[in-house]
Amino acid sequence: TVCVRVRPLVARERDKERDQPPALQLDGNAISIFDVRNTVPEWRNFAFDQCLGQSEGQEALYRYVGEPILQNGLKGFNGTLFAYGQTGSGKSFSIMGSDSDPGIIPQLLQRLYAVVDGTDTRDELVAETRVTMSFLEIYNEEIKDLLDPESRPRQKKLFVHQHPKLGVYVPNLTEAAATSAAEAIRLLAFGAKIRATAQTNMNSTSSRSHSVLTMRITQVFPDGKIRKSGMNLCDLAGSERAKKTGASGQRMREGSAINSSLSVLGQVISKLSSGAERKGIHVPFRQSKLTHLLMDALSGNSVTTMLANVSPARSEAEESLSTLRFAESVKLVKTKPRVTELAPEEPAQMMRTLASEINLLQNALVEEGTLLPSELSRKIEASQSLAKSLSAQTGGEWAEAVEQTKALEDAQRKLLEERCLPMYEVGQLAGVGTGTPYLLNISDDPSLSGCLLYFLRPAPEVTTVGRAGPHSIAPNNVVIEGLGIPARLAEIHFH
């Protein structure tokens, strides 16, 4: 399914293009765009499953895009949503929204837990529903766990692995047992804070990264039957070309890496839309971590939706046309979704199979003349991680997973305290007066703006800004990491 959303013109665009007609025209689910690339400009016409104009709000977007993904998930189908478009086209706002106007993910979480808690009716009687949540970022072909409270980099890098029967996953990625909407939104907010904090590092600007939120739903029925599904909600980096951004130096090299992964995505879509798999032609899924992670979503067991975000401004017509052409090719891609249901005895059988696989790999590791030891070790690590995840979702370790998530919350709170960040948002903080001054971060990625909140100390105290660690001057109230950040960057006096 492909849905196109046209964002409203911003004030700058309205002032600049006041006397010009818009570059886009909508007619139901058909969209026309003014193609200025030719010597004689002309209108190009496209048709999609759903087109949302500038007057359509977040609730309408969720109704058309988010709710079908949730309903399919409850029926046992895997679902994937990926938001695509140039920077500033409204991707992040559509996916995350704001506190007053929530996007697809916050609305989906509220609806999901309304069903889980029984406050919303459902057609089937379910004895228990388990939901786990993971949140990752792909930046410069490296995967970062956004729910991991460890402030130090991992000794081993995260990687994408594929199990022949259970599909694609990331071993050792944090999977939190989210038992309520409040818990899920807290985890989401923590991940956003970690992404926003990374922006202070001169070599890591998270607006140039892809983020993927994964919700895994396990429903246990009164007869013991188990239904499993997963929802991947992806916010891709901006698709604009380097010359459009005006970037140079490190920023341009970073953009090239991001554009490379989007280029591979384009190649994969192109081959899939031409029936490459059916013809036995190689599809380069493994050429980038993004396409490898989305392998099932693009060609396998998933009901996949693309949200193409475009601007109606004439100044952005060329980028909008590129987005619409890409969306048109995505329409031709066919997936093979199927319901995943397990008999009561199947989870135990799967666990025994995984244990047998791990045993065989460990035996092979001690033998000579086999695969490289590092490759075998990686396979063992991946299988052990999958077994742990499967046991938490369908086995008897759910209570332990819930306790581990509580411990994770404590660790996350400690990390935020170390960085002088509150666990909750302004309106949720007890004992803080409404007149207390504070600083909020501003980001070129709308989903990250306002994630970092720092309260200023009243006189005679001084709010200090600088680095953490042994080279800082005493503990700073506002901790900023990154190249060029001194031990004491600034002092703020509030009277």
Side-chain angles (χ1 to χ4, degrees):
T1 303
V2 177
C3 175
V4 174
R5 190 186 198 190
V6 183
R7 68 157 171 80
L9 288 169
V10 297
R12 171 179 52 82
E13 294 167 339
R14 285 196 299 270
D15 293 340
K16 186 177 180 181
E17 303 181 10
R18 180 177 292 118
D19 301 325
Q20 300 181 45
L24 290 171
Q25 293 181 357
L26 289 180
D27 183 10
N29 290 333
I31 184 169
S32 301
I33 183 169
F34 199 58
D35 187 354
V36 297
R37 298 176 305 164
N38 300 327
T39 306
V40 180
E42 59 180 352
W43 287 95
R44 292 282 305 276
N45 302 313
F46 299 87
F48 298 101
D49 300 293
Q50 189 71 47
C51 290
L52 301 178
Q54 302 176 42
S55 61
E56 299 280 6
Q58 298 284 70
E59 289 185 5
L61 175 66
Y62 175 76
R63 186 168 64 251
Y64 289 122
V65 176
E67 185 65 16
I69 292 175
L70 174 59
Q71 293 303 323
N72 283 327
L74 294 173
K75 293 174 184 175
F77 292 101
N78 293 329
T80 298
L81 168 67
F82 64 97
Y84 183 92
Q86 70 177 111
T87 298
S89 61
K91 297 187 308 299
S92 296
F93 182 75
S94 295
I95 292 291
M96 296 298 297
S98 62
D99 290 342
S100 59
D101 200 8
I104 292 173
I105 290 178
Q107 291 187 69
L108 188 147
L109 291 175
Q110 294 290 354
R111 284 280 293 116
L112 169 62
Y113 284 97
V115 173
V116 171
D117 298 339
T119 54
D120 200 347
T121 58
R122 58 192 304 179
D123 298 332
E124 300 171 288
L125 180 62
V126 178
E128 183 185 13
T129 302
R130 301 174 178 180
V131 181
T132 62
M133 180 175 170
S134 60
F135 196 14
L136 64 83
E137 175 184 65
I138 302 176
Y139 169 76
N140 277 357
E141 283 301 289
E142 288 193 8
I143 298 175
K144 180 178 181 179
D145 187 346
L146 294 175
L147 299 185
D148 184 2
E150 290 292 332
S151 56
R152 293 174 297 178
R154 287 174 174 265
Q155 292 183 345
K156 293 183 179 180
K157 293 182 179 180
L158 293 171
F159 59 94
V160 182
H161 190 77
Q162 184 180 13
H163 189 274
K165 294 182 179 179
L166 300 176
V168 175
Y169 63 102
V170 178
N172 300 317
L173 185 68
T174 300
E175 281 194 86
T179 56
S180 66
E183 175 72 9
I185 290 173
R186 185 196 66 75
L187 289 165
L188 186 65
F190 176 83
K193 285 181 171 69
I194 296 301
R195 285 190 79 196
T197 303
Q199 283 201 320
T200 61
N201 187 327
M202 292 172 64
N203 288 323
S204 176
T205 308
S206 293
S207 63
R208 301 296 298 148
S209 66
H210 314 293
S211 69
V212 182
L213 174 72
T214 300
M215 308 289 295
R216 300 196 184 280
I217 306 172
T218 303
Q219 301 172 85
V220 183
F221 292 84
D223 62 358
K225 180 182 70 176
I226 296 174
R227 179 182 294 168
K228 287 172 51 64
S229 62
M231 296 183 292
N232 298 304
L233 308 172
C234 315
D235 184 6
L236 303 183
S239 58
E240 67 276 358
R241 292 154 299 156
K243 70 175 184 180
K244 182 74 176 178
T245 66
S248 60
Q250 171 67 21
R251 182 79 168 182
M252 180 151 183
R253 287 191 294 274
E254 170 195 296
S256 296
I258 297 297
N259 286 343
S260 174
S261 67
L262 291 175
S263 175
V264 174
L265 177 62
Q267 294 174 37
V268 167
I269 294 293
S270 176
K271 286 183 177 293
L272 291 175
S273 62
S274 63
E277 284 195 315
R278 188 176 65 255
K279 299 173 184 176
I281 300 173
H282 172 68
V283 181
F285 287 109
R286 295 173 183 266
Q287 199 166 319
S288 84
K289 287 185 171 62
L290 175 66
T291 50
H292 195 182
L293 189 64
L294 295 178
M295 186 173 177
D296 285 340
L298 297 173
S299 68
N301 178 20
S302 177
V303 179
T304 300
T305 301
M306 174 188 177
L307 177 61
N309 297 266
V310 294
S311 164
R314 282 185 169 253
S315 58
E316 308 295 343
E318 194 170 347
E319 295 292 343
S320 295
L321 175 60
S322 175
T323 298
L324 292 176
R325 291 176 63 194
F326 181 74
E328 188 175 46
S329 65
V330 172
K331 274 194 343 180
L332 303 175
V333 175
K334 304 296 181 185
T335 58
K336 302 177 280 292
R338 62 183 182 275
V339 173
T340 305
E341 291 186 341
L342 306 175
E345 68 277 3
E346 283 190 77
Q349 293 174 355
M350 294 169 69
M351 291 297 297
R352 287 195 294 271
T353 301
L354 280 172
S356 177
E357 290 177 6
I358 294 169
N359 189 47
L360 286 172
L361 289 169
Q362 288 174 334
N363 290 336
L365 188 62
V366 298
E367 295 177 1
E368 295 182 359
T370 60
L371 296 172
L372 293 173
S374 59
E375 186 176 340
L376 278 174
S377 298
R378 202 177 199 189
K379 287 185 177 182
I380 293 169
E381 183 182 353
S383 295
Q384 289 173 334
S385 175
L386 181 59
K388 181 180 178 182
S389 173
L390 188 63
S391 179
Q393 293 170 30
T394 62
E397 296 185 14
W398 178 248
E400 182 182 342
V402 172
E403 290 302 316
Q404 288 175 348
T405 300
K406 291 179 181 177
L408 177 68
E409 179 180 357
D410 292 338
Q412 290 173 342
R413 179 181 287 107
K414 182 179 179 181
L415 175 62
L416 292 180
E417 287 173 353
E418 288 174 357
R419 298 186 179 186
C420 302
L421 291 167
M423 192 72 173
Y424 303 100
E425 305 307 319
V426 181
Q428 300 172 296
L429 291 169
V432 177
T434 55
T436 303
Y438 57 84
L439 304 176
L440 279 178
N441 72 305
I442 298 175
S443 168
D444 52 1
D445 185 340
S447 68
L448 301 182
S449 288
C451 287
L452 306 182
L453 167 68
Y454 302 97
F455 286 102
L456 300 184
R457 303 294 180 93
E461 294 186 67
V462 177
T463 303
T464 59
V465 183
R467 295 181 61 181
H471 300 296
S472 66
I473 303 173
N476 286 302
N477 305 120
V478 178
V479 177
I480 300 178
E481 300 292 347
L483 295 175
I485 302 297
R488 181 61 52 83
L489 177 66
E491 293 182 354
I492 303 174
H493 300 259
F494 169 64
H495 300 284

